Each structure stands twice: as C-alpha cells, then as structure tokens.
Amino acid sequence: MSFDQSLQLRLDETKKAGLYRSLRTMKTAPGSEVEMDGGKKLIFASNNYLGLAGEESLVEAAKVALYQFGVGSSGSRLITGNNEWHERLEQRLAQFKQTEAALLFSSGYLANLAVLTALPEKGDVLLSDQFNHASIIDGCRLSNADTIVYNHIDMADLEKRLQATASYQRRFIVTDGVFSMDGTIAPLDQIMTLAKEYDAYVIVDDAHATGVLGAKGRGTSEYFNVSPDVVVGTLSKAVGTEGGFVSGSQTLIEFLVNHARPFIFQTSLPPASCAIAYHALEMIEAGEEKRQRLRQKIKQLKTGLIKLGYTIKGDDTPIIPVIIGEASKAVLFAKGLEEKGIYAPAIRPPTVPDRESRIRLTVTADHTSAQIDYLLKSFEQIEKELLVQ
Ligand SMILES: *Cc1c(COP(=O)(O)O)cnc(C)c1O
C-alpha cells in the first residue's frame, strides 16, 4: 500500500463517521456580510466580536509600521526579532490587563502550550475543566505534570479534586474564561476562593473574554474583580488580528522568557501585527459604546430564540449555542440556513454530547437588528420546513 493509499483509508473512515472537515473560502474582508464560496453570506460564525478585523484605521496603522519595519521580524525575540513594537505592545497589554507585565506569542494556541509546559513540573498536577479549549488539552498532554479533568464549571467536583490531590507538590487550576462551544462564563470568583483555600494556582484562558467582558473589556478578571496567577489571551478574536499573550507578574514573565519553548524557539510576530493590536487595544478600552451595542445584539438574538421555543446554552456572551437535537437534524438545519444566505456551523458529537447537537451562533457588534431579525425568521421557517419533510 502506498503512503497516500494508507492516508486515504483513514480519510474514508473519517468520512464514514461523519467527521470529515473541509475548508470554506472567504473572498472579502471580515464583516457581518462576506462574499464566500457559494455566494454572499450573512456570517454568524466569526470571532470578530467588535468588528475590528476589518477596521480601516487599523489597516492604516499597519501600513505605517509595514513601511517602517518591513513584513517580518527576522528572528526569535531573544536573537534579532525583538522590535520596539513588541515591547510597546507588551507594556500596553500589561496596562490593559492591569498586571505587572505581559509576554507575546505567535498565537493563543502557543501561549497555552508555553504556559502549560513551562510552569507545571513533574510532581505537580493540573486540574482542567472538562470543556477547556483544545490548546489547553494539548498543553496538558505535553506537560510533565499529571492532569485531572473536573466536570464543566462544577465547583463541588473541583473541590473534591482539590481535596484528593493534597499530596502533589503544586496544584494548578486551568480554565477557559468563556467556553468556546457552550458560551458559559467560568465562575472565576468561586475558583479563586477554592484556589486560596486549597493553596492552588489559577490559569485562565481569556481568549473569548478579552475585549468583551468587563466595563473596559479587560476580560473575566475585570468581570469578577479578581487577579488570577496567569492570564492567557489571544489577539485573534475581539482584538481582530493575530497573536497570543500571557499576562501576570514580572517574575512570571521573566520565567517564561527563560523556560517557555514556544517563546524561545519561534520567530516573533511581524512588528506591524503588534502595531495593529496596540491600536486595537486603545479602541477596545475606549469602546464601551461598541460593547454596549454587542450586548444589545446578544440580547435581541437570545430573546428572539427563546420566544421561538429554543433551548440555548451558556451565559450572556457572544457565543450562542442553539440546541437542535439529533446530529442529522443539526446538519439539515445548517444547510437550511446556508440556503437562506446565512453561514452558521452545526456542531455535533464528538465535539458535543449526543442529542445536544447544535447550531453555534456568534454575534458581533457589527450585526444590524435587521440581520438578526432575518436570522430569527429563518430559524422559524427552517423548523417548519423540516417538520414537513
Ligand atoms: C481561539 C482560542 C485559542 C487559540 O487562540 P489563537 O490565537 O487562535 O491560536 C485558545 N484558547 C481558546 C479558549 C480559544 O477560544
């Protein structure tokens, strides 16, 4: 059997299991309406929560930095890749997150790998929420510490695990701030209380909360008024561009510079990306009006869906999972939406439990009320169409 044939066999199995994935091509800049393969679509699936990915003033900021510093950083931070824009952005991030310091990574994914492989050591244990993001799961797998998974946002279960792990040297609780598939907010206040009681450290991945939660958009720390030991974030969601970061104490950052392999061995972000994120953070901090608009849209969509009789998962975040039921029905539903010019993916097992297949909607500040009304009307119509079939 040739190598490709062996791969094809596995791919056929993937297809048979209904788990085959394929790419969609976008042909215009991000926004609530996008030209993509299959035509113009209303997008209820992006992470561009504040609409900054297509923001013209950020394109201008990038241009200035591109002309001054070129298109690439030319090396890792510790060799030739440490531009003044990296340091400027890190200072801005620390100020934004109200921590002593911050450190940039090429992505949020790598920031999680960095934190989870550099901080917990052999003899330590990671207590990880059941629904944590794949990059946390991968970080736990690569870590030299043991990992114990606790039930999703179940504080009684977390406490039981803390009681059972007293013999470990150090304990780390690791959680998403806002969970990407369920739209739930981690009860960070309670997690911090438990951590204090049981002498554990807290790592929060605020990928979906940064720019969205809290009056200034600082994330779950601001929302709950707490200070976790380590906060991971991404610049790729509400911030609108690319890159990841860690914020925390000066000592934490110094430690990561010396011990985090994804920091040491990777080419740093292009300076222009840092300039974009820097200006985006300014807009986010001053963007109470945009966040207000986002909250109105979340409310309009949730109220409408509940009125239609749907079960919705999660808290008040831009991630709105609508439970459809059987996987096959969720797939038909997504197809129905697409026929009406709406792009929103069906999420099925094994990503979510059986019979909890869903349409995962995300809403942004850029959506108009009319677009949300159209989405709601489409849900109603598709439900009727599927009944007839
Ligand atoms: C998107 C996401 C990441 C990855 O961030 P990237 O910058 O896209 O690599 C990490 N954690 C969570 C919870 C996410 O949702």
Side-chain angles (χ1 to χ4, degrees):
M1 192 190 300
S2 77
F3 177 52
D4 275 353
Q5 278 171 334
S6 74
L7 296 182
Q8 194 56 57
L9 271 181
R10 296 298 304 274
L11 275 173
D12 292 344
E13 285 169 22
T14 309
K15 271 184 192 161
K16 221 182 273 168
L19 300 174
Y20 188 74
R21 302 168 193 265
S22 56
L23 296 163
R24 304 297 303 264
T25 311
M26 309 294 146
K27 299 173 178 176
T28 49
S32 60
E33 266 189 341
V34 159
E35 184 72 35
M36 59 190 276
D37 53 6
K40 198 168 172 183
K41 292 280 174 328
L42 195 50
I43 305 287
F44 281 96
S46 94
N47 302 320
N48 184 22
Y49 300 127
L50 300 174
L52 294 179
E55 174 71 38
E56 229 167 280
S57 66
L58 296 179
V59 175
E60 290 307 316
K63 273 190 199 165
V64 174
L66 278 169
Y67 281 116
Q68 195 173 358
F69 295 108
V71 294
S73 74
S74 88
S76 67
R77 289 288 294 284
L78 288 161
I79 313 288
T80 57
N82 186 35
N83 186 271
E84 60 187 31
W85 266 116
H86 295 101
E87 294 183 0
R88 216 179 280 167
L89 175 56
E90 283 171 346
Q91 280 162 18
R92 194 72 191 75
L93 277 166
Q95 193 188 333
F96 177 66
K97 287 288 183 179
Q98 303 195 308
T99 53
E100 280 176 20
L103 190 66
L104 281 169
F105 292 85
S106 301
S107 70
Y109 200 119
L110 283 167
N112 272 329
L113 293 195
V115 160
L116 295 167
T117 54
L119 301 178
E121 296 168 358
K122 204 172 162 53
D124 297 338
V125 66
L126 280 154
L127 302 175
S128 175
D129 187 288
Q130 179 191 4
F131 288 173
N132 275 343
H133 188 259
S135 55
I136 294 181
I137 295 170
D138 290 356
C140 291
R141 285 179 182 157
L142 285 172
S143 163
N144 288 323
D146 287 345
T147 300
I148 294 173
V149 174
Y150 63 90
N151 294 335
H152 180 51
I153 60 172
D154 182 341
M155 292 300 103
D157 191 41
L158 175 58
E159 181 158 23
K160 214 168 65 189
R161 310 283 184 180
L162 283 164
Q163 285 163 351
T165 52
S167 61
Y168 281 93
Q169 200 176 308
R170 292 183 302 174
R171 290 174 290 177
F172 295 84
I173 301 167
V174 57
T175 180
D176 280 13
V178 169
F179 287 84
S180 50
M181 284 303 139
D182 278 52
T184 31
I185 300 174
L188 211 50
D189 48 349
Q190 297 174 54
I191 290 175
M192 293 297 293
T193 305
L194 281 176
K196 201 167 175 198
E197 194 178 335
Y198 290 92
D199 208 13
Y201 306 115
V202 177
I203 302 170
V204 180
D205 177 358
D206 243 0
H208 289 283
T210 300
V212 173
L213 288 190
K216 298 269 180 206
R218 302 188 206 283
T220 42
S221 306
E222 184 186 20
Y223 187 80
F224 288 109
N225 193 23
V226 293
S227 304
D229 300 282
V230 183
V231 177
V232 177
T234 179
L235 304 171
S236 69
K237 292 187 172 125
V239 185
T241 177
E242 59 166 346
F245 65 89
V246 174
S247 60
S249 72
Q250 192 68 54
T251 312
L252 168 72
I253 300 311
E254 190 183 338
F255 187 90
L256 291 174
V257 167
N258 283 276
H259 291 283
R261 294 166 65 85
F263 178 83
I264 300 167
F265 296 104
Q266 228 212 353
T267 302
S268 58
L269 287 170
S273 293
C274 301
I276 297 167
Y278 182 95
H279 292 289
L281 286 176
E282 312 250 283
M283 296 180 76
I284 285 172
E285 249 184 0
E288 181 50 30
E289 182 264 332
K290 252 186 206 291
R291 265 185 300 283
Q292 200 55 42
R293 202 149 22 104
L294 176 60
R295 283 190 200 108
Q296 280 165 7
K297 302 294 152 57
I298 294 169
K299 192 164 173 208
Q300 183 191 350
L301 183 47
K302 281 192 137 175
T303 312
L305 286 165
I306 289 166
K307 213 180 263 174
L308 290 175
Y310 286 103
T311 303
I312 299 161
K313 288 255 171 183
D315 297 304
D316 278 341
T317 76
I319 300 167
I320 304 174
V322 189
I323 301 298
I324 302 295
E326 301 290 341
S328 54
K329 188 180 173 192
V331 172
L332 283 176
F333 217 99
K335 213 179 265 174
L337 286 170
E338 178 132 15
E339 279 162 13
K340 295 184 191 308
I342 296 166
Y343 182 53
I347 312 284
R348 301 165 285 168
T351 310
V352 293
D354 207 22
R355 303 183 66 84
E356 278 199 15
S357 293
R358 60 194 69 178
I359 299 292
R360 179 183 179 275
L361 299 172
T362 60
V363 68
T364 71
D366 274 359
H367 283 109
T368 65
S369 292
Q371 287 173 332
I372 291 171
D373 281 339
Y374 178 72
L375 175 69
L376 289 167
K377 203 174 291 159
S378 301
F379 260 81
E380 197 176 6
Q381 280 173 4
I382 293 165
E383 199 67 56
K384 277 187 201 144
E385 286 165 17
L386 289 181
L387 264 183
V388 173
Q389 276 176 12

